[in-house]
Amino acid sequence: MSVFDQMMLRYEIKSDDDRRNAIHEVMQEIALAGLYRGGFFEKAAFYGGTCLRIFHSMPRFSEDLDFSLMAKVDSFSLKDYFPAIVAEFKALGRDVVIIKKEKNISGKVESAFLKDDTEIYDLAFKTERTIKVKIEVDTDPPLEFMTEQKLLLQPFSFMTRCFVLPDMFAGKVHALLFRNWKSRVKGRDWYDFEWYIRNQVPLDFNHLQVRARQFNGIDMSKEDFMDLLKTRLNTTKIEMVKQDITPFIRDKKQLDIWSNDYFIQLTGMMKYL
């Protein structure tokens, strides 16, 4: 049995979604290990839903690996770390390919986030390319954030540099406010928003302001922010939100209480740094 297969044994798999989510997470951990061996975390930090899942036990699965450089580096290329990622998978008995992902700027899927200097690639098995892990690195990041070292034990013990929770919360709120999905809603943003508040994580409002200023060209006060947030939470179709998050969680009943009013009430429980 390969190390990859041994890592898969940690998961209780009862459905196709369970299997797909487990494969994604094992791939993510191996990719992080490869990046660590390649020295990636000397320059970059991990954040986003997958970071919450792996290092903070958030009970939802996530597909993407999101990173930010610690500072703008004109000569940075994610490709420099591909050999280390490929070698890590090879050592564990799996062959992978890494393919550049074209940014759909014309469709404005994520126009608030897809900058020219954002590198995006898909990581997939050579024999099973339907399961992909998107790797995204912001090479000209909004700064004024803090990081910490987090320990991962699989496939071996290593440290990953991660955003601290208040700054990850700022990134999530920014996505919730400004992500432009048109007819599609990313319910995972809503799920994470609830998770931060449930776990009493304070919002780093300063980092949120830096993000809004760089990505969207706006300055906002806390009053402006709350108006924008409540408008987004109150006008989005909640059934579309639930539909998006359902494949990534096992306990579907936790969504029964979800409504626009439920999320509006959550805003009153937010804490700030």
Side-chain angles (χ1 to χ4, degrees):
M1 180 182 294
S2 70
V3 175
F4 186 95
D5 293 332
Q6 292 175 16
M7 292 174 71
M8 286 288 293
L9 292 177
R10 295 174 295 166
Y11 300 90
E12 183 181 5
I13 298 176
K14 295 182 177 180
S15 66
D16 289 341
D17 281 342
D18 289 346
R19 177 181 175 276
R20 187 180 184 85
N21 288 330
I23 291 174
H24 267 119
E25 190 155 301
V26 172
M27 289 178 70
Q28 291 160 352
E29 291 177 344
I30 297 171
L32 289 172
L35 289 168
Y36 166 81
R37 286 197 198 271
F40 177 76
F41 295 110
E42 296 171 11
K43 296 181 178 179
F46 188 29
Y47 70 98
T50 305
C51 186
L52 288 182
R53 166 70 185 174
I54 292 176
F55 291 110
H56 297 281
S57 302
M58 183 179 67
R60 82 155 173 94
F61 287 93
S62 179
E63 296 175 313
D64 307 336
L65 292 173
D66 296 311
F67 303 101
S68 170
L69 292 186
M70 301 293 293
K72 184 177 181 180
V73 180
D74 293 331
S75 60
F76 177 86
S77 175
L78 185 60
K79 290 181 180 179
D80 294 343
Y81 302 92
F82 288 178
I85 295 174
V86 172
E88 197 64 42
F89 275 92
K90 188 76 171 179
L92 300 182
R94 300 302 293 260
D95 292 321
V96 295
V97 292
I98 305 176
I99 304 167
K100 185 173 179 62
K101 183 177 175 64
E102 295 303 321
K103 292 175 282 189
N104 188 17
I105 295 177
S106 61
K108 298 189 182 299
V109 177
E110 285 187 274
S111 58
F113 301 89
L114 289 182
K115 300 184 295 182
D116 290 339
D117 45 20
T118 299
E119 294 196 22
I120 306 176
Y121 292 86
D122 281 335
L123 174 71
F125 293 131
K126 287 185 177 179
T127 56
E128 191 176 4
R129 297 195 185 189
T130 57
I131 296 181
K132 299 177 181 178
V133 173
K134 185 176 76 172
I135 304 175
E136 182 170 336
V137 181
D138 189 343
T139 59
D140 183 15
L143 301 177
E144 299 186 40
F145 59 83
M146 297 182 65
T147 65
E148 60 185 343
Q149 296 287 344
K150 302 294 289 185
L151 173 65
L152 193 60
L153 299 177
Q154 296 283 356
F156 59 88
S157 296
F158 65 95
M159 291 290 186
T160 300
R161 183 191 297 274
C162 302
F163 276 45
V164 297
L165 285 172
D167 291 326
M168 278 202 281
F169 191 12
K172 180 54 59 177
V173 169
H174 177 254
L176 188 60
L177 285 176
F178 297 107
R179 198 191 300 275
N180 180 13
W181 284 96
K182 293 191 174 180
S183 61
R184 181 185 172 192
V185 176
K186 194 165 185 180
R188 285 157 279 181
D189 289 342
W190 296 57
Y191 187 93
D192 296 359
F193 176 74
E194 179 195 47
W195 183 90
Y196 281 112
I197 294 176
R198 184 186 302 278
N199 287 275
Q200 301 184 55
V201 176
L203 173 70
D204 184 346
F205 188 72
N206 178 64
H207 184 56
L208 174 61
Q209 287 178 308
V210 172
R211 282 184 168 272
R213 195 174 300 123
Q214 178 170 330
F215 282 100
N216 313 104
I218 65 171
D219 287 293
M220 59 181 180
S221 64
K222 285 185 179 178
E223 292 75 18
D224 296 331
F225 157 65
M226 193 56 68
D227 287 343
L228 285 171
L229 181 61
K230 287 183 177 179
T231 297
R232 174 58 67 100
L233 295 176
N234 206 33
T235 57
T236 303
K237 294 180 180 179
I238 202 68
E239 289 307 314
M240 294 177 66
V241 175
K242 292 182 181 181
Q243 184 178 356
D244 178 80
I245 186 60
T246 296
F248 298 95
I249 60 175
R250 302 200 67 177
D251 181 10
K252 320 297 185 190
K253 290 186 178 298
Q254 63 186 296
L255 305 182
D256 290 348
I257 195 173
W258 280 25
S259 67
N260 297 95
D261 181 63
Y262 172 69
F263 281 93
I264 291 295
Q265 292 201 35
L266 285 179
T267 65
M269 302 176 184
M270 292 179 64
K271 302 178 184 296
Y272 298 89
L273 281 184

